[in-house]
Amino acid sequence: MGGSAEGSGERTRSQARVVEEVVDTDRYPLDDPGGPTLTGVVDRARRELREQGCTVLADFIRPALQDALRAEGAAVAPQAHYEPETVNAYNIALDADLPAGHPGRVTMVRGNAFVARDLLPAGAIIERLYTSELFQRFVADCFELPELHELADPLSGLCLNVIPPGMAHPWHFDTNEFTVSMLTQEPDGGGQFHYCPGIRTETDENLPDVAAVLAGGSDLVRHLSLRPGDLQLFKGRFALHRVDTVTGATARHSAIFAYSQRPGVIGSVERTRQLFGRVLPEHLAAAGRAVRGDTLLD
C-alpha cells in the first residue's frame, strides 16, 4: 500500500511539473482545478462553446517556449504525408449516390498534409501536453464531459497539420464531436480559420445552409485569427469549417490533439490511408469494430 501511495504521489508531482514547464500557469493553473482562476477560465470556455461552438485560450503555452514549439514542428514537417486530392465537405466518395444539388457534389482541393504521431520526437512539447492527465482533465471540463481518453490510434492520436504556401484545408466536418488544436507556426499571410458553428445537428444535416456556404453566399461564416501557442477548443462535428489559402513563403503548422469519450478508439483503414499514406496492423485489426455515434453523412 505504501509503495502504491508513493508511486501515485510521484506521478502527481510529475504531472504538475509538465504543466508548470509547458503551460502559462499564471493564466491557466491546471494544477489548481478548484481554484478561482481556473474556474473562471473553464466557465468562459463552456459559455463560448455553448454559444459559439468555439473558444480560444490565448498564449496557453509559456512565451519562452514559443520558439521551441515552432522549431519542433518545423523539424518534422518535411515528413508529412503530402498528396493533394479532390474531396467534398463530407470526405466521402466523390461518386457517392447523391441527389442533384446536394452539397456533397461540390468538390474542392485538399492541400494540407499530416505528420503522424509515430514520427513526432519523444518529449516534444505537444507530446508532453497531449499525454498530461491534468491537461486532459482541463479539456474535458471545458467541453463539460466526464472524462476523455487518448486515441489508441498510433498515427492520428496526435499529429501535426501542415498547410504549405498556395494550399488550403477546404470546407469539411470533423468525424469527432470535439476538436483540440494549437497553432505552432503562423504563415506569412492567409491561413485564417473560418467556421459555421452549429450548422448541423445530430439529426439534421441542414443541407440548404451547407450548400449556401459552399457557394460563397452565406452570412453564417465566422472568421478567427490564431497565434502560435493559442489553444483552440472547437465543436467540429457540427460546424462546417476550413483554413483558407496560405500565402507567402511560410507554411501554416498546427498540432491536432485527438481525444475520445471512450477508450480504444482507432481510425478507419480508408481514412487513415487517406491522411497518412499508410496503415498499421492496429488499423487492420480494428476494421469493422467502429461504432458510430450518429447517423450523419460523415
Side-chain angles (χ1 to χ4, degrees):
M1 293 288 289
S4 176
E6 182 179 348
S8 177
E10 177 54 36
R11 183 177 180 179
T12 299
R13 288 190 292 273
S14 177
Q15 291 282 322
R17 282 196 298 272
V18 169
V19 164
E20 179 67 27
E21 293 167 359
V22 173
V23 178
D24 185 344
T25 50
D26 289 337
R27 303 179 68 176
Y28 309 105
L30 304 193
D31 54 352
D32 185 24
T37 299
L38 197 64
T39 296
V41 171
V42 171
D43 287 346
R44 177 179 67 84
R46 288 180 172 182
R47 182 174 64 255
E48 292 181 352
L49 283 165
R50 290 192 206 110
E51 297 174 355
Q52 307 169 28
C54 180
T55 188
V56 175
L57 306 175
D59 297 319
F60 192 80
I61 296 295
R62 285 192 174 280
L65 290 181
Q66 294 287 335
D67 288 342
L69 182 71
R70 184 205 60 77
E72 288 179 354
V76 298
Q79 300 184 69
H81 172 65
Y82 185 67
E83 187 176 344
E85 63 178 329
T86 301
V87 297
N88 54 38
Y90 303 95
N91 284 304
I92 59 173
L94 300 183
D95 60 355
D97 185 17
L98 301 173
H102 193 288
R105 287 180 171 269
V106 177
T107 60
M108 302 157 282
V109 175
R110 184 179 71 83
N112 62 309
F114 291 94
V115 179
R117 182 176 186 179
D118 64 350
L119 298 176
L120 299 175
I125 293 170
I126 58 174
E127 172 76 21
R128 296 169 70 195
L129 194 59
Y130 177 69
T131 57
S132 165
E133 293 178 6
L134 289 174
F135 179 68
Q136 294 168 16
R137 178 68 266 164
F138 168 70
V139 171
D141 286 345
C142 289
F143 280 113
E144 301 184 72
L145 298 172
E147 60 183 4
L148 287 179
H149 301 273
E150 296 175 33
L151 259 61
D153 193 305
L155 299 184
S156 65
L158 172 69
C159 59
L160 186 75
N161 186 10
V162 177
I163 307 179
M167 304 305 295
H169 192 176
W171 290 112
H172 65 284
F173 292 101
D174 292 339
T175 55
N176 204 23
E177 182 174 342
F178 51 89
T179 306
V180 183
S181 64
M182 177 180 292
L183 193 72
T184 64
Q185 178 171 283
E186 192 173 14
D188 296 330
Q192 190 178 54
F193 185 78
H194 300 171
Y195 69 110
C196 308
I199 197 171
R200 69 175 182 177
T201 68
E202 289 185 1
T203 57
D204 183 7
E205 292 279 10
N206 190 14
L207 299 179
D209 278 346
V210 172
V213 171
L214 298 182
S218 174
D219 59 1
L220 297 177
V221 181
R222 299 187 183 186
H223 310 279
L224 185 64
S225 294
L226 298 165
R227 298 177 302 169
D230 290 351
L231 182 69
Q232 181 185 14
L233 307 181
F234 178 56
K235 293 187 175 181
R237 181 65 174 151
F238 308 117
L240 188 65
H241 55 287
R242 72 172 180 179
V243 177
D244 70 2
T245 302
V246 169
T247 60
T250 304
R252 183 188 194 271
H253 297 166
S254 58
I256 310 297
F257 306 84
Y259 298 108
S260 174
Q261 295 183 61
R262 65 183 190 279
V265 171
I266 294 178
S268 70
V269 170
E270 180 180 0
R271 184 67 170 150
T272 299
R273 185 173 284 115
Q274 179 189 42
L275 296 180
F276 302 105
R278 57 193 169 103
V279 295
L280 299 179
E282 292 89 338
H283 300 101
L284 299 175
R289 298 205 309 261
V291 178
R292 291 295 300 260
D294 56 51
T295 59
L296 293 172
L297 195 54
D298 195 8

